[in-house]
Amino acid sequence: MGSRLEDITDIRQKTPGCDEKIHFNNAGAALVSEETLRTQVDYLEQESLIGGYEVAAKYAQRIDQFYDNVAELINANRDEIAFTESATVAWLRVFWAINFQSGDEILCDSTSYASNYIAFLNAQKRFGIRIVLIDQKPTGELSLEDLTGKLSSKSKLISITHMPTNSGLVNPAQEVGKIAEKYNVLYQLDACQSVGQYPIDVRKIGCDFLSATGRKYLRGPRGTGFLFAKKIRFSELSPLNLDLHSAEWISKDTIDIREDARRFETWECNLAAKLGLSTAVSQAVNLGMETIWERVQLLADYLRKELSRIEEVIVTDIGEIKSGIVTFYSNTISTHQLKERFLEHNINTVVAIKSGTRVDMENRSLDSILRASVHYYNTKEEIDKFINLLTQFVKP
Ligand SMILES: *Cc1c(COP(=O)(O)O)cnc(C)c1O
């Protein structure tokens, strides 16, 4: 793909939403492809005609392919993958399976997503764990020296964000993996914004658990996500959500828990959406994650460069390497107003509020910022239009 225009034109033609809008809310929910849409609609139609169980049996092999596709995307084994309805559900199922004891420490980064930090606070109240924040380097990444310095016999879990929701930051996931391995501490990675945007190799990263959503950079359907969980860690976990799919009731008083990561699933799920995500994942694999990442960076760098030329605009991204998530504010017009003005011109952006990533936002004295997140199917022309409008909007 690179930035060759004919490929992008083709991809855009196969993405119905590209006709309607300038979509710069890919970190919220990216546009699904025609193929991903059709996969779901066809399946739903079949459900209505044949019956839900009957069509599931007919499609069993294709549904099962989901695990192979995701495994290929992140270089895992298929039995290390679970399908969930969101990244948060994937993350929580593993988090609450950890046998926390009073005094245990969770090391997390300052850009932690609200839902994750809420779980830390919940665990603090329920089990008396301690939340240990890893310092940031001046450039924004979590400090590996500080992480190493804060590890102790009390450290139970390192739980960090790969790419936060509110800036272009990329945390050094692989370096954290080396530390986690050396000190033998559980390592949970929130890869919600990086999967589908950035090449992910769980073997290289060395994480024990990784969670992702379908609807963001993977361009999958809403209400989908997945979990990667390393089997070697299963003996240290007690899943809380066991049902007749994740476990078997083998005698009146005994159960057997599944041997694979699907012990974190539950039986019922949206199979049309699962197939849709499977389609989206294989599209990402076919395009190539290196190629996608290169194109996303190219567009995001261009957008940031153009933004930095507008006097009334302050770009708020941090990090040495920056992702497709671009954030800024203006002193002349509120972020909410900006979002509305863009919407009037068929341009989708989103406001990132303080309570979404409170620690980082407070550290940087930010209240609310506008997030324009680009994907490979966006174009420089779209960015130019965006910049032209913004220049008008921010004029005092
Ligand atoms: C969006 C997001 C989540 C939550 O994903 P859901 O699929 O909505 O549960 C978690 N972490 C980060 C960094 C996110 O951006």
Side-chain angles (χ1 to χ4, degrees):
M1 177 176 55
S3 53
R4 279 192 298 132
L5 207 61
E6 64 269 37
D7 295 337
I8 299 299
T9 308
D10 184 52
I11 286 165
R12 288 176 66 80
Q13 272 163 1
K14 291 173 181 156
T15 304
C18 284
D19 287 343
E20 310 286 325
K21 291 271 191 176
I22 294 182
H23 191 65
F24 287 165
N25 190 12
N26 295 292
L31 299 170
V32 297
S33 69
E34 179 74 44
E35 193 190 349
T36 298
L37 173 66
R38 283 261 56 94
T39 303
Q40 295 177 80
V41 172
D42 289 348
Y43 188 87
L44 288 174
E45 259 164 23
Q46 297 255 342
E47 272 188 343
S48 78
L49 296 172
I50 303 175
Y53 286 29
E54 292 72 16
V55 74
K58 188 175 150 193
Y59 277 70
Q61 229 178 339
R62 258 189 82 185
I63 295 168
D64 191 60
Q65 184 72 31
F66 168 83
Y67 300 96
D68 300 299
N69 289 349
V70 174
E72 189 180 355
L73 178 74
I74 62 169
N75 193 27
N77 293 323
R78 54 170 278 130
D79 59 358
E80 296 170 317
I81 307 297
F83 175 69
T84 59
E85 61 264 47
S86 71
T88 302
V89 166
W91 190 98
L92 288 172
R93 289 215 175 129
V94 125
F95 181 80
W96 290 114
I98 297 170
N99 301 305
F100 289 116
Q101 310 278 325
S102 176
D104 282 349
E105 294 183 348
I106 298 174
L107 294 107
C108 66
D109 68 302
S110 336
T111 62
S112 294
Y113 190 70
S115 300
N116 303 357
Y117 209 88
I118 286 167
F120 300 149
L121 291 168
N122 196 359
Q124 179 176 288
K125 198 162 159 223
R126 292 183 59 164
F127 302 118
I129 62 97
R130 232 168 61 80
I131 304 169
V132 179
L133 269 166
I134 308 162
D135 287 348
Q136 278 171 291
K137 296 203 302 181
T139 41
E141 296 84 4
L142 66 87
S143 156
L144 298 167
E145 291 71 34
D146 191 58
L147 166 61
T148 312
K150 281 173 177 164
L151 282 167
S152 73
S153 58
K154 297 206 171 89
S155 309
K156 183 77 173 177
L157 172 70
I158 299 171
S159 182
I160 63 152
T161 325
H162 197 189
M163 294 182 183
T165 197
N166 69 323
S167 82
L169 183 73
V170 184
N171 262 322
Q174 199 170 322
E175 287 73 11
V176 171
K178 293 208 180 81
I179 296 170
E181 193 188 351
K182 186 169 164 199
Y183 292 85
N184 193 27
V185 180
L186 292 174
Y187 175 21
Q188 178 183 38
L189 183 65
D190 177 341
C192 199
Q193 294 293 1
S194 51
V195 171
Q197 167 172 196
Y198 182 89
I200 298 282
D201 181 329
V202 290
R203 299 284 168 247
K204 276 194 191 148
I205 292 174
C207 54
D208 295 306
F209 319 112
L210 175 146
S211 48
T213 204
R215 73 176 187 280
K216 294 179 180 173
Y217 277 88
L218 274 175
R219 307 181 61 198
R222 293 208 61 171
T224 62
F226 70 80
L227 170 72
F228 156 81
K230 227 189 235 171
K231 282 174 85 174
I232 199 165
R233 291 299 195 177
F234 284 4
S235 61
E236 297 167 59
L237 305 173
S238 315
L240 286 182
N241 61 296
L242 296 175
D243 74 347
L244 80 181
H245 165 84
S246 48
E248 196 185 345
W249 195 10
I250 49 169
S251 78
K252 184 165 161 286
D253 296 319
T254 48
I255 59 166
D256 247 357
I257 304 178
R258 277 185 76 115
E259 292 291 330
D260 58 18
R262 295 172 70 182
R263 57 171 51 198
F264 295 105
E265 293 182 345
T266 42
W267 187 83
E268 176 58 348
C269 69
N270 184 335
L271 290 172
K274 189 176 182 179
L275 272 180
L277 178 55
S278 190
T279 305
V281 166
S282 85
Q283 280 180 346
V285 170
N286 289 338
L287 275 173
M289 284 313 308
E290 296 284 350
T291 312
I292 291 173
W293 172 232
E294 206 178 291
R295 166 95 186 154
V296 167
Q297 278 188 301
L298 179 100
L299 292 171
D301 287 349
Y302 179 64
L303 174 54
R304 275 188 206 98
K305 194 181 95 222
E306 293 299 305
L307 284 170
S308 69
R309 301 216 293 220
I310 309 176
E311 207 181 315
E312 295 85 358
V313 165
I314 297 101
V315 179
T316 50
D317 290 319
I318 49 175
E320 274 178 84
I321 302 168
K322 292 189 183 70
S323 76
I325 298 178
V326 180
T327 60
F328 62 93
Y329 68 92
S330 170
N331 285 325
T332 56
I333 176 171
S334 80
T335 49
H336 290 276
Q337 277 174 306
L338 268 180
K339 183 199 153 191
E340 290 308 317
R341 297 300 303 275
F342 278 123
L343 208 49
E344 286 164 15
H345 290 81
N346 270 334
I347 299 178
N348 298 338
T349 59
V350 82
V351 174
I353 53 168
K354 191 194 276 190
S355 60
T357 43
R358 183 171 284 283
V359 177
D360 177 50
M361 293 291 270
E362 284 180 359
N363 281 353
R364 296 194 283 143
S365 307
L366 294 171
D367 205 41
S368 95
I369 48 187
L370 198 71
R371 184 180 73 187
S373 44
V374 294
H375 214 326
Y376 59 78
Y377 49 66
N378 290 125
T379 62
K380 282 193 167 179
E381 292 70 36
E382 288 180 320
I383 292 172
D384 290 338
K385 188 169 175 199
F386 179 85
I387 291 290
N388 277 336
L389 285 167
L390 180 62
T391 310
Q392 296 166 35
F393 298 160
V394 298
K395 279 275 162 298

